[in-house]
Amino acid sequence: MNKIKIQSPATVANLSCGFDILGLCLDKPYDEIEVIKIDEKKVIIDIIDSPYSNIPDNPLENTGGVPALGIIKDFNLDFGFNIKIKKGIPLCGGMGSSASTASGVVFAINKILNQKLTKKEMLKYALQGESVSVTDAHADNIAPCLLGGLTLIRDTKSLDIMKIPISDFYVSLIHPHFHISTQDARDILPKEIKLSSAIKQWGNIGALVLGFSSKNNSLIKRSMNDIIIEPVRSKLIKGFNEIKNRSIELGAIGCSISGSGPTMFALCDDKNIAENIIDFSNSFYKKNNIGCDTYLSNVNNSGPSII
């Protein structure tokens, strides 16, 4: 195979109380990435015009370029890659945009290499790409993007990652038009937490995982409660409380910040509920003279797909 074109999906990291350890793969929005084998041992990146095309074309500064260079070096390839990226996932939006590029490039290159990379190697190279955009990168976006479905990262360093069974849900995504960088969103977090708060959070995380794996929506609803990260980050997001409260009133199972924000997500078991949440959110931000993108997505259980 000399070239391949794929879709690389957005993700929701954390899922409320699962900070840095839970991630969910979506079927939209997504990036389109084409990787073409070239004779020279180098990486050329072409950025295709889109509303989110303001990303570096220098391979050393691009989350897709770094893993491509690493694979060429580590496997001593006698060829390189021309990578064409059309971004469909908003930048600095909390939907795993940088991870989508990194994971999508690794997935595509692995196909060209006839599946030479193991799952753990793919995760390793994608994480190297993610490190371009944030200090101390975590796998809560790259894991669900590459593997699909709902993933649990037991340990990022050893890439001990597993998939958790999950039902078909509808996910409302609300992306107001202001940027919050991942690094800035990490820098404001508390360096220490009370033991009592940690105990409550651990209880919620354990019950949330059980709720998903046992298809117990009532337990998911009770457990999707972040008492440590959300109260801090939500202050950066105008309208967060209004969107969350109304989403729950409309029947969402849970609602919180997607990744580092400002995107918010609502998890729903009914498509009409998800659509009503999107309608309310669009109306809310229009009244406040703030632009807003919304998406209605299903759970993506397979990760990137070949176009």
Side-chain angles (χ1 to χ4, degrees), residues 44-270:
I44 300 171
I45 295 182
D46 296 322
I47 310 300
I48 310 302
D49 188 49
S50 80
Y52 314 112
S53 56
N54 186 28
I55 61 173
D57 59 7
N58 181 343
L60 293 173
E61 299 173 358
N62 185 285
T63 61
V66 167
L69 289 168
I71 291 170
I72 291 171
K73 179 182 177 183
D74 294 347
F75 287 85
N76 195 26
L77 302 181
D78 59 0
F79 54 87
F81 305 103
N82 178 200
I83 302 170
K84 302 179 184 294
I85 303 170
K86 184 177 182 180
K87 295 295 295 180
I89 304 173
L91 310 176
C92 298
M95 287 183 276
S97 184
S98 60
S100 173
T101 302
S103 301
V105 167
V106 171
F107 175 87
I109 288 177
N110 193 40
K111 292 294 184 183
I112 290 177
L113 298 180
N114 296 317
Q115 310 281 27
K116 182 176 290 187
L117 303 179
T118 66
K119 181 179 75 172
K120 186 163 285 192
E121 286 174 331
M122 291 175 68
L123 290 164
K124 180 190 75 171
Y125 286 112
L127 190 62
Q128 289 175 3
E130 181 80 318
S131 299
V132 174
S133 64
V134 61
T135 304
D136 192 24
H138 289 262
D140 52 354
N141 287 117
I142 65 160
C145 185
L146 269 174
L147 306 179
L150 176 62
T151 57
L152 170 66
I153 296 89
R154 193 199 68 79
D155 179 58
T156 296
K157 186 175 181 180
S158 64
L159 291 173
D160 188 0
I161 295 169
M162 57 217 73
K163 292 185 69 171
I164 300 169
I166 185 170
S167 304
D168 292 329
F169 288 105
Y170 298 95
V171 183
S172 302
L173 295 162
I174 303 100
H175 172 240
H177 288 178
F178 42 85
H179 284 194
I180 299 175
S181 78
T182 302
Q183 192 62 54
D184 289 345
R186 296 190 79 87
D187 289 344
I188 66 169
L189 297 179
K191 302 297 185 265
E192 297 179 354
I193 58 174
K194 293 181 180 180
L195 180 59
S196 59
S197 297
I199 292 170
K200 289 181 181 178
Q201 193 86 336
W202 293 332
N204 283 331
I205 294 168
L208 183 61
V209 170
L210 177 60
F212 279 120
S213 59
S214 63
K215 300 183 178 182
N216 186 333
N217 287 359
S218 176
L219 182 57
I220 294 171
K221 189 167 187 174
R222 298 201 308 273
S223 308
M224 196 172 277
N225 181 27
D226 178 9
I227 64 170
I228 295 175
I229 307 299
E230 182 184 295
V232 178
R233 285 183 168 173
S234 62
K235 296 175 183 177
L236 302 175
I237 304 172
K238 179 177 176 60
F240 173 80
N241 290 324
E242 290 88 343
I243 299 295
K244 178 174 181 176
N245 292 338
R246 186 57 179 151
S247 295
I248 300 301
E249 290 173 1
L250 288 169
I253 294 172
C255 179
S256 189
I257 305 168
S258 178
S260 58
T263 298
M264 293 156 278
F265 78 93
L267 188 74
C268 309
D269 60 2
D270 182 276

